[in-house]
Amino acid sequence: PPNAAPRPPPRGGRRRRRARRAARPRAPPPAPPRRARPRLPLRLLPQAAPRRALVGDGPPLAPSAPAAGGSWYRAALACCAYALLAQLAALTYEVAAAAPPVEAEALLLPAVQALAWAALLALALRARAGRFPALVRVWWVLAFALSVAIAFDDSRRLMGADDRDADYAHMVANFASLPALGFLCLVGVMGSSGVDLEFSDDDTGVHEPLLLGGQRRGAEEEPGCLRVTPYGDAGILSLATLSWLSPLLSVGAKRPLELADIPLLAHKDRAKFCYKAMSSHYERQRLECPDKEPSLAWAILKSFWREAAINGAFAAVNTVVSYVGPYLISYFVDYLSGKIAFPHEGYILASVFFVSKLIETLTARQWYLGVDVMGIHVKSGLTAMVYRKGLRLSNASKQSHTSGEIVNYMAVDVQRVGDYAWYFHDIWMLPLQIILALAILYKNVGIATVSTLIATALSIAASVPVAKLQEHYQDKLMAAKDERMRKTAECLKSMRILKLQAWEDRYRIMLEEMRNVECRWLKWALYSQAAVTFVFWSSPIFVSVITFGTCILLGGELTAGGVLSALATFRILQEPLRNFPDLISMIAQTRVSLDRLSHFLRQEELPDDATISVPQGSTDKAIDIKDGSFSWNPSCSTPTLSHIQLSVVRGMRVAVCGVIGSGKSSLLSSILGEIPRLSGQVRVSGTAAYVSQTAWIQSGNIEENVLFGTPMDRPRYKRVLEACSLKKDLQLLQYGDQTIIGDRGINLSGGQKQRVQLARALYQDADIYLLDDPFSAVDAHTGSDLFKDYILGALASKTVIYVTHQVEFLPAADLILVLKDGHITQAGKYDDLLQAGTDFNALVSAHNEAIETMDFGEDSDGDIAPSVPNKRLTPSVSNIDNLKNKVSENGKSSNTRGIKDKKKSEERKKKRTVQEEERERGRVSLNVYLTYMGEAYKGSLIPLIVLAQTLFQVLQIASNWWMAWANPQTEGDAPKTSSVVLLVVYMCLAFGSSLFVFVRSLLVATFGLAAAQKLFTKMLRCVFRAPMSFFDTTPSGRILNRVSVDQSVVDLDIAFRLGGFASTTIQLLGIVAVMSKVTWQVLFLIVPMAMACMWMQRYYIASSRELTRILSVQKSPVIHLFSESIAGAATIRGFGQEKRFMKRNLYLLDCFARPLFSSLAAIEWLCLRMELLSTFVFAFCMAILVSFPPGTIEPSMAGLAVTYGLNLNARMSRWILSFCKLENRIISVERIYQYCKIPSEAPLIIENCRPPSSWPENGNIELIDLKVRYKDDLPFVLHGVSCIFPGGKKIGIVGRTGSGKSTLIQALFRLIEPSGGKIIIDNIDVSAIGLHDLRSRLSIIPQDPTLFEGTIRMNLDPLEERSDQEIWEALEKCQLGEVIRSKEEKLDSPVLENGDNWSVGQRQLIALGRALLKQARILVLDEATASVDTATDNLIQKIIRSEFRDCTVCTIAHRIPTVIDSDLVMVLSDGKIAEFDTPQRLVEDKSSMFMQLVSEYSTRASCI
């Protein structure tokens, strides 16, 4: 009733019900309940009535009655009713046909059966939800088994093998009921009734399934597609024919498919469902058996055993019916020879052949699709588990598993474990196939079957050493691939520094050497596989020779029918035996991958008890550390931090300072729980927000980075942008806060990245803020504004701990911590610490010393009086005046309007630079195939491969024909040759055919290796020669996807797909030739069938090709998100955002699984139709053969045609399938070729324009009307810059963020080619010489110090040009000698990925060491000292002044003391030179921009 109180939903079987969308109008109270309408797409539901999208939102939903039944439920009821009718019909016939008097005993059994079926039907009708009753399910399974046994017995009677009278009424009823009972057996095994329990909203009358919320949430995540795949709700006929996929293929045939066209996955197929199932079973093992390592394989099996069981049922039926043909061939040959056992025997035999092939076709497709779906589930769940583990890895675990290795876990190992679903049932199917084969052989050759069993066992036993060999090679191959991927990921991440230092060739060669090692193991694996292929192609031949030979020796008589039946059996047995090496290899590979994944999943995670969370109301302390000792390496004797005592009251501002490497960042990590705790306690009260020293920016727009998963609150959002000084930056960007940020924030300046980080933290409105030197990357003015607006303003009521090297920010702190060597040496307020002296006093003194360099004296009014510092530039004053005059012509004229216009144009380069990943559309070009085939030995191996396969097929047909022709046609006939000749000729032909298979395998492996290596080398060189703009706009995940996934496909798959297509084509031609030889009428059907196949292939490939391309594109975001998440794991954990990122990963996995599922289903859709066509052609051939009078055609040849015809459907579908899979796989080649066509930079070396070896001698740099822009369609960033940097002088370059400072340096190194003007160094135009000649003669210390995984020696001198003595001297000069000497490995001290085991300051000093070793005449410092304390900055400047005194030094800096003692200072504004003069003259001009910067820096401490 409408006003009834809502009732809670029933509990039974809720999770097992398949979720569906259904909307049903509310019926008026007097009217009877109306049936549910068909489910409509979500967009067609009425919009006027509000819907409850999620269960639990709003008032509870009441269950609607009656519940809507699933299609399986209705079909099961129909089958029960059908079986009941069949029993009643048989009973009625018995009563009508029985002569009076009717015997009650004869009717008892049929009557009881009919009553039993009636009772079962009644029980089934009561199963409205959940599972069918156990009694019903058991009866269905037993009834099917009994019916099969009775059908077998009846068949023997029909064929005359049994002389008992046949009961035709029950025989017909049994055969008629068999399909229905088979379906009921399947439903009985599954158990589920397929009924959906619906709930209605009493307010709106809208009815919704219980699990609809999960599907609708998924639909909301992908606004482009609101349809769920009809696979889960399809009817029996639709499932059997796969017609549920036809709408998608119809769209694909009309236009290229897009991701939005592909339906969403059903709830049970989504990554979240699979991940939860696998994770729960894995964790349960860990909890139940703590002393035993959990088994990942067992967790997978427990999660998906039901799917595996259903697939096993289809596989069993398929295997049994596949042996019906070989079993009946001997009877068919006897019939053609004139031995007719019963009337219409020929037509009955032909019908049985046809029905068995039809069942084989239908079950095969359901089986294959089932294992594909199971593979998707396993891959989705495993990938999610690996991702979740990556987010929780401890520091020690990270050191042993780099991001490149973990990409391999996701791209290769997870894929391999998922693919094992294909081989899972082969383990038990092989014994079953052998048993069935032995039964058929026993009928034909008698006791000689024992020799068959022995020969088969020997063949299988021979594979044991092969499996170990394969496992060994696989281990080595995967280890080599891991190493290459690790180094590749590192090179892509650091490509800018490689190009700046002219090291790209050295690292490319290193990668090529790693690839050569990988190729060596790949070659051994492939060649050993070729040998294994020969052995196992020979195994069925060996078995057949042993069988026939034993039969002849024992005096048995072979007939043509028996031989053909045996050969057909061997042909079927040949498949599992031939696939056995693949099974062994796959088991070995899967075991390796499972071990690797299990080892990774068992790695140490960050402990949950690293920090103790304290409720906010219970204490006034936000952070409390008692006697804490922490170490990044727990095995190290010296902890990173020791005896830390820290108590921070809520609302305090705490500043942390100290020299580089003193443990400042580690202190923040200890509060976050990131660093392993050795002793003590860390108590934290409240939520935390973390800003790392090295900015971590997500790919996506600026708004997404600021919100970071928190709902939009527009007023708060605006306040955050204001406090972080981001408003002006956003106004200058064409798309504002919707501007897409590139990979690792590549298209933002260092200051902008840091401010986006600060905004992200502020928007979270946390209780505790941990800021790791956030002001180092911004200029003085912005830093002052940030400190006042952000820390003193927005965070005034928050607990703030900030690390800083700027002493001027210390007085505002309530508590200052001074760290040295991992200890808090001093703690207190600014004035107290200043009076105490020691370490803090040294830091302040260094700062005061820097400030004093700007003290040019003050007059009585406080104005800065003109004075000249010690390092005044005295020579060539007139030149300087000329330069100043030249600048004044275009520099001072910029006005406010020009500034705004210019900033707008400069920042336009930073608009949506990251585009959607490119993909081809339409057919794969023939040129891709031809180019690929020409990669190895110019295609000369292709004809040899085709020739070897042709000879194999000819010899195989000849061997089978020989056995059929030479043996007697029927029992009693004389053989046409002796037994010895029979066997010798057969052995020669059969083993000769397998020899050519070995030759073909060797040729294919050789061809594939050569082509893969050539493609890899070509792609790698093109990527390394690509301009820097390519890496700025291309996420590294896309490139890694090509060098990992696509390259693996080229290595292991494409050559064999190409060989397989040629092989299947030749086999198909052989089958058609044999059938046409006997029944030429088949050609009338073969031609139209081939045309139909080609049409369907084109219809299918239009969709399949695009699905594969979408699949390739959708793989990259999964890998990219993982790489990005690993890099920012500390930030993600610091904000408590693991769940959101996990959800994002699951969503991307579903986006990948959608096209994958549709692509796999499309393959089965095509194969089903191909096989059905060939099955009808085979049936036509059989009908022609049985219609001929006996003796018209030679029985042996007819039997041979039937033997080959049994394989026609499989070969036809395999032919089309092999071509389609080849086209799908060749897309990997197409994608690699895309990266082989990347426009390259200018030549590295121009032979006829090489500079002298001593160039540059003076270091004189002249810029002449220099114009630079990032793309041809973008505005200029530098506008006609003209000036001269005199050789040997120190040039300071300053300016606001976005003024063009870094662009000028990029133009100097030609990372960006000038659009106009020239850069001349010592009278040589840099554009006229090679890039390597230019960059190797210049030196740079970049803003972000990059270290490579390896050793200190390799990082300082990767080209291996310097001696150890020179390296030690450089280390001493950059103040790292003592640190390195204190380590056991000295120069071979390890450097982890990203240099994580060295502080940022130490990394910067190593970069300085590189410059000292390079000894270039021109040195560029790009914010090189931003991340070091003032004392270290002063030290670095001192080293530069002494070691580079005769060099031209160009310094970009935000710290004014860094450039104040330069000989000349250039002030850039909006891409133009605003000022260029000595710092003294610029300071004398009180209106100069430089004077404003000096004033801001010197007075900001007092202002604060």
Side-chain angles (χ1 to χ4, degrees), residues 998-1021:
F998 177 59
V999 172
R1000 190 210 72 183
S1001 299
L1002 279 178
L1003 291 173
V1004 169
T1006 304
F1007 167 81
L1009 270 172
Q1013 186 68 346
K1014 199 167 182 180
L1015 275 176
F1016 176 82
T1017 305
K1018 190 182 294 186
M1019 174 176 63
L1020 186 69
R1021 292 181 178 178

Side-chain angles (χ1 to χ4, degrees), residues 479-498:
K481 188 183 287 289
D482 280 349
E483 194 65 27
R484 174 176 64 84
M485 284 303 300
R486 177 192 300 180
K487 186 58 69 175
T488 303
E490 187 178 53
C491 289
L492 293 176
K493 198 180 337 181
S494 309
M495 187 56 70
R496 184 177 296 275
I497 193 66
L498 290 182

